[in-house]
Amino acid sequence: LIDFGSGTCDGVSVQQSDEAEDLSRHHTFAGSAFYISPEMFQRNYTPKTDVWSAGATLYVLVAGYPAERLQETFNVLQSTKKHRLRQLPNMPNNMPDSFYDMLEGALA
C-alpha cells in the first residue's frame, strides 16, 4: 500500500562519510506530490518526511482523496498556519480535538 523510505542513501557511501547523520540523508526525489512533505520539495529527506506522509495518508483515510479540491487541500497541507487542518475538505464534523492534535503532530 505504501512504500515509505523509497529514497535511499544513493548519494552517500560509507567510505565518503562516517557520520550517521549523513547516512540518514536521502537524495532520491520520488512519490506523489500530494503525499510529499514540504522538506522533500527542498530535497531534504529525513525520517520526519515519512511521518509527514503518514499524516497525509491518515487524512485521506478519514476524509477520502480530495480529487475535486486537490490544489486547495495540497495548499492547506503545505501551509504552516495555525488551525489549518480544520479547513481541510471533506473532514467529518465529529472529529475530536485529539485527532487534529495527532494530525498536526505528523504534519509539523
Side-chain angles (χ1 to χ4, degrees):
L1 175 65
I2 301 170
D3 184 19
F4 292 120
S6 62
T8 60
C9 295
D10 58 351
V12 179
S13 71
V14 176
Q15 291 87 17
Q16 290 175 327
S17 174
D18 292 329
E19 295 180 27
E21 184 176 330
D22 286 341
L23 291 176
S24 68
R25 300 277 183 204
H26 300 285
H27 304 285
T28 302
F29 189 85
S32 301
F34 185 78
Y35 299 95
I36 293 177
S37 72
E39 293 83 12
M40 262 311 281
F41 288 109
Q42 299 169 358
R43 304 236 187 245
N44 186 20
Y45 188 111
T46 66
K48 289 173 57 175
T49 300
D50 288 339
V51 174
W52 197 98
S53 296
T57 301
L58 181 61
Y59 162 70
V60 170
L61 290 172
V62 169
Y65 190 74
E68 295 177 6
R69 297 173 71 185
L70 188 59
Q71 186 62 55
E72 174 190 351
T73 305
F74 179 81
N75 292 344
V76 170
L77 290 175
Q78 297 287 324
S79 171
T80 58
K81 293 180 182 176
K82 192 172 183 169
H83 303 296
R84 74 190 193 280
L85 300 180
R86 295 185 185 275
Q87 300 169 7
L88 286 168
N90 305 331
M91 286 297 288
N93 293 330
N94 60 350
M95 295 304 293
D97 290 339
S98 60
F99 173 79
Y100 289 104
D101 292 342
M102 177 183 60
L103 195 57
E104 183 67 45
L107 298 174

